[in-house]
Amino acid sequence: MTIRIVLWLVVIMFLLPKSTFSALTINDVSPTTINSADDIITISATASGLSSSTQYLQVAFSKEGLSPAQYLGITKNLSNEWYLYKSSPASADFSAYFYNFTPVSSTWSGQIQAKFDTTDNDFLGPGNYILKLFKYITSSTGTASNNTFTVVVNVASPSSQTVTPPPAPPSPNITLTIGNNFVLGVDFT
């Protein structure tokens, strides 16, 4: 009896459709050192095991060693518009802002661009940042890329930048003489 049950389970396993798992992989990042808040990073990535529906991507950076991770970033969409990282995006945000693609034969390969948002509260100044891709379909819960890349950031946070105040204007020396000769003098030395 036990052998029959095992045989039936084996037959059922082969008859059931195989489930597919999607994989999102970052293949290359360029440049890997950022010296200006305006530097644009190009990420080459591939995805497989995808459903045929439109997929949405955003790039996220987090300071290395930070737990829990605090993400930030700005991603460029296909309309050449830049949008800020959203931790829990609304469904309407996907088609309005996010980089999107439709898989062909359950796969995708392409490039996406991003940069740092140095005004974000989660930007903690210079150091190593971990770059990830997040993929969405119709839910605000994204699937992270299988791998990450480290990007070296050499940009100070706006709050830590030293601002030198302009020199104070010279104080005038005023001379006022009242008498035979009326003299009013102002000296700015």
PDB file of all heavy atoms in Angstrom, residues 15-40:
ATOM      1  N   LEU A  15       3.254  15.291 -13.429  1.00  0.00           N
ATOM      2  CA  LEU A  15       2.119  15.814 -14.179  1.00  0.00           C
ATOM      3  C   LEU A  15       1.793  17.269 -13.843  1.00  0.00           C
ATOM      4  O   LEU A  15       1.228  17.982 -14.668  1.00  0.00           O
ATOM      5  CB  LEU A  15       0.884  14.937 -13.940  1.00  0.00           C
ATOM      6  CG  LEU A  15       0.969  13.511 -14.481  1.00  0.00           C
ATOM      7  CD1 LEU A  15      -0.297  12.743 -14.107  1.00  0.00           C
ATOM      8  CD2 LEU A  15       1.167  13.520 -15.984  1.00  0.00           C
ATOM      9  N   LEU A  16       2.132  17.688 -12.643  1.00  0.00           N
ATOM     10  CA  LEU A  16       1.854  19.071 -12.255  1.00  0.00           C
ATOM     11  C   LEU A  16       2.780  20.019 -13.000  1.00  0.00           C
ATOM     12  O   LEU A  16       3.942  19.701 -13.257  1.00  0.00           O
ATOM     13  CB  LEU A  16       2.048  19.250 -10.750  1.00  0.00           C
ATOM     14  CG  LEU A  16       1.035  18.571  -9.842  1.00  0.00           C
ATOM     15  CD1 LEU A  16       1.434  18.754  -8.383  1.00  0.00           C
ATOM     16  CD2 LEU A  16      -0.352  19.126 -10.080  1.00  0.00           C
ATOM     17  N   PRO A  17       2.266  21.205 -13.352  1.00  0.00           N
ATOM     18  CA  PRO A  17       3.147  22.164 -14.042  1.00  0.00           C
ATOM     19  C   PRO A  17       4.274  22.601 -13.114  1.00  0.00           C
ATOM     20  O   PRO A  17       4.100  22.733 -11.905  1.00  0.00           O
ATOM     21  CB  PRO A  17       2.218  23.334 -14.373  1.00  0.00           C
ATOM     22  CG  PRO A  17       1.061  23.176 -13.471  1.00  0.00           C
ATOM     23  CD  PRO A  17       0.938  21.721 -13.127  1.00  0.00           C
ATOM     24  N   LYS A  18       5.412  22.787 -13.712  1.00  0.00           N
ATOM     25  CA  LYS A  18       6.574  23.235 -12.942  1.00  0.00           C
ATOM     26  C   LYS A  18       6.426  24.720 -12.644  1.00  0.00           C
ATOM     27  O   LYS A  18       6.059  25.508 -13.506  1.00  0.00           O
ATOM     28  CB  LYS A  18       7.843  22.993 -13.739  1.00  0.00           C
ATOM     29  CG  LYS A  18       8.000  21.559 -14.194  1.00  0.00           C
ATOM     30  CD  LYS A  18       9.339  21.035 -13.817  1.00  0.00           C
ATOM     31  CE  LYS A  18       9.611  19.639 -14.263  1.00  0.00           C
ATOM     32  NZ  LYS A  18       8.609  18.668 -14.218  1.00  0.00           N
ATOM     33  N   SER A  19       6.680  25.101 -11.418  1.00  0.00           N
ATOM     34  CA  SER A  19       6.609  26.517 -11.069  1.00  0.00           C
ATOM     35  C   SER A  19       7.913  27.193 -11.485  1.00  0.00           C
ATOM     36  O   SER A  19       8.976  26.584 -11.488  1.00  0.00           O
ATOM     37  CB  SER A  19       6.382  26.691  -9.564  1.00  0.00           C
ATOM     38  OG  SER A  19       7.434  26.104  -8.859  1.00  0.00           O
ATOM     39  N   THR A  20       7.788  28.425 -11.860  1.00  0.00           N
ATOM     40  CA  THR A  20       8.974  29.178 -12.261  1.00  0.00           C
ATOM     41  C   THR A  20       9.249  30.246 -11.211  1.00  0.00           C
ATOM     42  O   THR A  20       8.345  30.826 -10.635  1.00  0.00           O
ATOM     43  CB  THR A  20       8.771  29.860 -13.627  1.00  0.00           C
ATOM     44  OG1 THR A  20       7.641  30.708 -13.538  1.00  0.00           O
ATOM     45  CG2 THR A  20       8.598  28.846 -14.737  1.00  0.00           C
ATOM     46  N   PHE A  21      10.510  30.477 -10.962  1.00  0.00           N
ATOM     47  CA  PHE A  21      10.929  31.493 -10.022  1.00  0.00           C
ATOM     48  C   PHE A  21      11.661  32.568 -10.807  1.00  0.00           C
ATOM     49  O   PHE A  21      12.540  32.261 -11.602  1.00  0.00           O
ATOM     50  CB  PHE A  21      11.840  30.891  -8.943  1.00  0.00           C
ATOM     51  CG  PHE A  21      11.142  29.855  -8.113  1.00  0.00           C
ATOM     52  CD1 PHE A  21      11.285  28.509  -8.387  1.00  0.00           C
ATOM     53  CD2 PHE A  21      10.330  30.243  -7.061  1.00  0.00           C
ATOM     54  CE1 PHE A  21      10.637  27.567  -7.623  1.00  0.00           C
ATOM     55  CE2 PHE A  21       9.682  29.309  -6.290  1.00  0.00           C
ATOM     56  CZ  PHE A  21       9.834  27.958  -6.570  1.00  0.00           C
ATOM     57  N   SER A  22      11.285  33.794 -10.589  1.00  0.00           N
ATOM     58  CA  SER A  22      11.967  34.854 -11.317  1.00  0.00           C
ATOM     59  C   SER A  22      13.272  35.208 -10.634  1.00  0.00           C
ATOM     60  O   SER A  22      13.397  35.137  -9.413  1.00  0.00           O
ATOM     61  CB  SER A  22      11.075  36.092 -11.431  1.00  0.00           C
ATOM     62  OG  SER A  22      10.831  36.649 -10.174  1.00  0.00           O
ATOM     63  N   ALA A  23      14.248  35.538 -11.446  1.00  0.00           N
ATOM     64  CA  ALA A  23      15.559  35.929 -10.951  1.00  0.00           C
ATOM     65  C   ALA A  23      15.934  37.253 -11.600  1.00  0.00           C
ATOM     66  O   ALA A  23      15.813  37.416 -12.808  1.00  0.00           O
ATOM     67  CB  ALA A  23      16.584  34.861 -11.284  1.00  0.00           C
ATOM     68  N   LEU A  24      16.360  38.197 -10.787  1.00  0.00           N
ATOM     69  CA  LEU A  24      16.802  39.500 -11.259  1.00  0.00           C
ATOM     70  C   LEU A  24      18.268  39.631 -10.868  1.00  0.00           C
ATOM     71  O   LEU A  24      18.604  39.567  -9.684  1.00  0.00           O
ATOM     72  CB  LEU A  24      15.961  40.605 -10.615  1.00  0.00           C
ATOM     73  CG  LEU A  24      16.323  42.048 -10.939  1.00  0.00           C
ATOM     74  CD1 LEU A  24      16.204  42.332 -12.431  1.00  0.00           C
ATOM     75  CD2 LEU A  24      15.405  42.990 -10.157  1.00  0.00           C
ATOM     76  N   THR A  25      19.127  39.805 -11.853  1.00  0.00           N
ATOM     77  CA  THR A  25      20.563  39.812 -11.600  1.00  0.00           C
ATOM     78  C   THR A  25      21.201  41.081 -12.154  1.00  0.00           C
ATOM     79  O   THR A  25      20.966  41.441 -13.309  1.00  0.00           O
ATOM     80  CB  THR A  25      21.231  38.583 -12.261  1.00  0.00           C
ATOM     81  OG1 THR A  25      20.584  37.404 -11.778  1.00  0.00           O
ATOM     82  CG2 THR A  25      22.714  38.525 -11.953  1.00  0.00           C
ATOM     83  N   ILE A  26      22.013  41.730 -11.334  1.00  0.00           N
ATOM     84  CA  ILE A  26      22.797  42.882 -11.777  1.00  0.00           C
ATOM     85  C   ILE A  26      24.086  42.326 -12.373  1.00  0.00           C
ATOM     86  O   ILE A  26      24.821  41.607 -11.709  1.00  0.00           O
ATOM     87  CB  ILE A  26      23.121  43.824 -10.604  1.00  0.00           C
ATOM     88  CG1 ILE A  26      21.835  44.317  -9.946  1.00  0.00           C
ATOM     89  CG2 ILE A  26      23.973  44.994 -11.072  1.00  0.00           C
ATOM     90  CD1 ILE A  26      22.057  45.052  -8.632  1.00  0.00           C
ATOM     91  N   ASN A  27      24.363  42.662 -13.644  1.00  0.00           N
ATOM     92  CA  ASN A  27      25.556  42.148 -14.321  1.00  0.00           C
ATOM     93  C   ASN A  27      26.733  43.110 -14.244  1.00  0.00           C
ATOM     94  O   ASN A  27      27.877  42.681 -14.184  1.00  0.00           O
ATOM     95  CB  ASN A  27      25.248  41.846 -15.787  1.00  0.00           C
ATOM     96  CG  ASN A  27      24.154  40.802 -15.912  1.00  0.00           C
ATOM     97  OD1 ASN A  27      24.135  39.825 -15.189  1.00  0.00           O
ATOM     98  ND2 ASN A  27      23.226  41.026 -16.821  1.00  0.00           N
ATOM     99  N   ASP A  28      26.455  44.418 -14.285  1.00  0.00           N
ATOM    100  CA  ASP A  28      27.535  45.395 -14.286  1.00  0.00           C
ATOM    101  C   ASP A  28      27.002  46.742 -13.811  1.00  0.00           C
ATOM    102  O   ASP A  28      25.826  47.056 -13.992  1.00  0.00           O
ATOM    103  CB  ASP A  28      28.116  45.543 -15.697  1.00  0.00           C
ATOM    104  CG  ASP A  28      29.392  46.367 -15.729  1.00  0.00           C
ATOM    105  OD1 ASP A  28      30.204  46.249 -14.787  1.00  0.00           O
ATOM    106  OD2 ASP A  28      29.582  47.145 -16.692  1.00  0.00           O
ATOM    107  N   VAL A  29      27.886  47.521 -13.198  1.00  0.00           N
ATOM    108  CA  VAL A  29      27.564  48.872 -12.741  1.00  0.00           C
ATOM    109  C   VAL A  29      28.720  49.771 -13.165  1.00  0.00           C
ATOM    110  O   VAL A  29      29.879  49.432 -12.955  1.00  0.00           O
ATOM    111  CB  VAL A  29      27.396  48.913 -11.200  1.00  0.00           C
ATOM    112  CG1 VAL A  29      27.236  50.332 -10.706  1.00  0.00           C
ATOM    113  CG2 VAL A  29      26.216  48.064 -10.769  1.00  0.00           C
ATOM    114  N   SER A  30      28.370  50.920 -13.762  1.00  0.00           N
ATOM    115  CA  SER A  30      29.421  51.840 -14.196  1.00  0.00           C
ATOM    116  C   SER A  30      28.924  53.277 -14.067  1.00  0.00           C
ATOM    117  O   SER A  30      27.827  53.585 -14.520  1.00  0.00           O
ATOM    118  CB  SER A  30      29.791  51.548 -15.648  1.00  0.00           C
ATOM    119  OG  SER A  30      30.784  52.434 -16.089  1.00  0.00           O
ATOM    120  N   PRO A  31      29.675  54.152 -13.447  1.00  0.00           N
ATOM    121  CA  PRO A  31      30.923  53.919 -12.725  1.00  0.00           C
ATOM    122  C   PRO A  31      30.638  53.346 -11.343  1.00  0.00           C
ATOM    123  O   PRO A  31      29.501  53.373 -10.876  1.00  0.00           O
ATOM    124  CB  PRO A  31      31.516  55.319 -12.616  1.00  0.00           C
ATOM    125  CG  PRO A  31      30.319  56.224 -12.534  1.00  0.00           C
ATOM    126  CD  PRO A  31      29.286  55.571 -13.417  1.00  0.00           C
ATOM    127  N   THR A  32      31.677  52.871 -10.679  1.00  0.00           N
ATOM    128  CA  THR A  32      31.518  52.347  -9.323  1.00  0.00           C
ATOM    129  C   THR A  32      32.043  53.331  -8.282  1.00  0.00           C
ATOM    130  O   THR A  32      32.024  53.029  -7.094  1.00  0.00           O
ATOM    131  CB  THR A  32      32.243  50.992  -9.170  1.00  0.00           C
ATOM    132  OG1 THR A  32      33.607  51.165  -9.538  1.00  0.00           O
ATOM    133  CG2 THR A  32      31.592  49.926 -10.026  1.00  0.00           C
ATOM    134  N   THR A  33      32.500  54.486  -8.730  1.00  0.00           N
ATOM    135  CA  THR A  33      32.909  55.562  -7.823  1.00  0.00           C
ATOM    136  C   THR A  33      32.168  56.825  -8.229  1.00  0.00           C
ATOM    137  O   THR A  33      32.182  57.214  -9.400  1.00  0.00           O
ATOM    138  CB  THR A  33      34.438  55.806  -7.883  1.00  0.00           C
ATOM    139  OG1 THR A  33      35.097  54.605  -7.499  1.00  0.00           O
ATOM    140  CG2 THR A  33      34.849  56.930  -6.944  1.00  0.00           C
ATOM    141  N   ILE A  34      31.510  57.460  -7.259  1.00  0.00           N
ATOM    142  CA  ILE A  34      30.716  58.661  -7.495  1.00  0.00           C
ATOM    143  C   ILE A  34      31.413  59.840  -6.826  1.00  0.00           C
ATOM    144  O   ILE A  34      31.679  59.800  -5.629  1.00  0.00           O
ATOM    145  CB  ILE A  34      29.291  58.486  -6.908  1.00  0.00           C
ATOM    146  CG1 ILE A  34      28.621  57.254  -7.522  1.00  0.00           C
ATOM    147  CG2 ILE A  34      28.461  59.734  -7.104  1.00  0.00           C
ATOM    148  CD1 ILE A  34      28.512  57.274  -9.017  1.00  0.00           C
ATOM    149  N   ASN A  35      31.700  60.880  -7.619  1.00  0.00           N
ATOM    150  CA  ASN A  35      32.391  62.056  -7.091  1.00  0.00           C
ATOM    151  C   ASN A  35      31.520  63.305  -7.064  1.00  0.00           C
ATOM    152  O   ASN A  35      31.939  64.344  -6.571  1.00  0.00           O
ATOM    153  CB  ASN A  35      33.656  62.329  -7.906  1.00  0.00           C
ATOM    154  CG  ASN A  35      34.660  61.209  -7.745  1.00  0.00           C
ATOM    155  OD1 ASN A  35      34.975  60.798  -6.630  1.00  0.00           O
ATOM    156  ND2 ASN A  35      35.146  60.683  -8.849  1.00  0.00           N
ATOM    157  N   SER A  36      30.310  63.210  -7.616  1.00  0.00           N
ATOM    158  CA  SER A  36      29.394  64.347  -7.668  1.00  0.00           C
ATOM    159  C   SER A  36      27.968  63.832  -7.547  1.00  0.00           C
ATOM    160  O   SER A  36      27.653  62.735  -8.023  1.00  0.00           O
ATOM    161  CB  SER A  36      29.572  65.088  -9.001  1.00  0.00           C
ATOM    162  OG  SER A  36      28.481  65.938  -9.255  1.00  0.00           O
ATOM    163  N   ALA A  37      27.100  64.630  -6.956  1.00  0.00           N
ATOM    164  CA  ALA A  37      25.689  64.251  -6.840  1.00  0.00           C
ATOM    165  C   ALA A  37      25.043  64.134  -8.214  1.00  0.00           C
ATOM    166  O   ALA A  37      24.002  63.489  -8.359  1.00  0.00           O
ATOM    167  CB  ALA A  37      24.939  65.271  -5.994  1.00  0.00           C
ATOM    168  N   ASP A  38      25.651  64.724  -9.239  1.00  0.00           N
ATOM    169  CA  ASP A  38      25.101  64.665 -10.596  1.00  0.00           C
ATOM    170  C   ASP A  38      25.597  63.462 -11.399  1.00  0.00           C
ATOM    171  O   ASP A  38      25.161  63.253 -12.527  1.00  0.00           O
ATOM    172  CB  ASP A  38      25.434  65.952 -11.348  1.00  0.00           C
ATOM    173  CG  ASP A  38      24.740  67.161 -10.740  1.00  0.00           C
ATOM    174  OD1 ASP A  38      23.597  67.003 -10.244  1.00  0.00           O
ATOM    175  OD2 ASP A  38      25.329  68.250 -10.747  1.00  0.00           O
ATOM    176  N   ASP A  39      26.532  62.674 -10.845  1.00  0.00           N
ATOM    177  CA  ASP A  39      27.045  61.506 -11.566  1.00  0.00           C
ATOM    178  C   ASP A  39      25.924  60.502 -11.797  1.00  0.00           C
ATOM    179  O   ASP A  39      25.148  60.192 -10.887  1.00  0.00           O
ATOM    180  CB  ASP A  39      28.171  60.828 -10.779  1.00  0.00           C
ATOM    181  CG  ASP A  39      29.467  61.614 -10.812  1.00  0.00           C
ATOM    182  OD1 ASP A  39      29.543  62.625 -11.545  1.00  0.00           O
ATOM    183  OD2 ASP A  39      30.409  61.217 -10.104  1.00  0.00           O
ATOM    184  N   ILE A  40      25.851  59.987 -13.020  1.00  0.00           N
ATOM    185  CA  ILE A  40      24.823  59.011 -13.390  1.00  0.00           C
ATOM    186  C   ILE A  40      25.457  57.629 -13.439  1.00  0.00           C
ATOM    187  O   ILE A  40      26.513  57.437 -14.033  1.00  0.00           O
ATOM    188  CB  ILE A  40      24.194  59.373 -14.753  1.00  0.00           C
ATOM    189  CG1 ILE A  40      23.464  60.718 -14.637  1.00  0.00           C
ATOM    190  CG2 ILE A  40      23.245  58.275 -15.217  1.00  0.00           C
ATOM    191  CD1 ILE A  40      22.957  61.260 -15.956  1.00  0.00           C
TER     192      ILE A  40
END
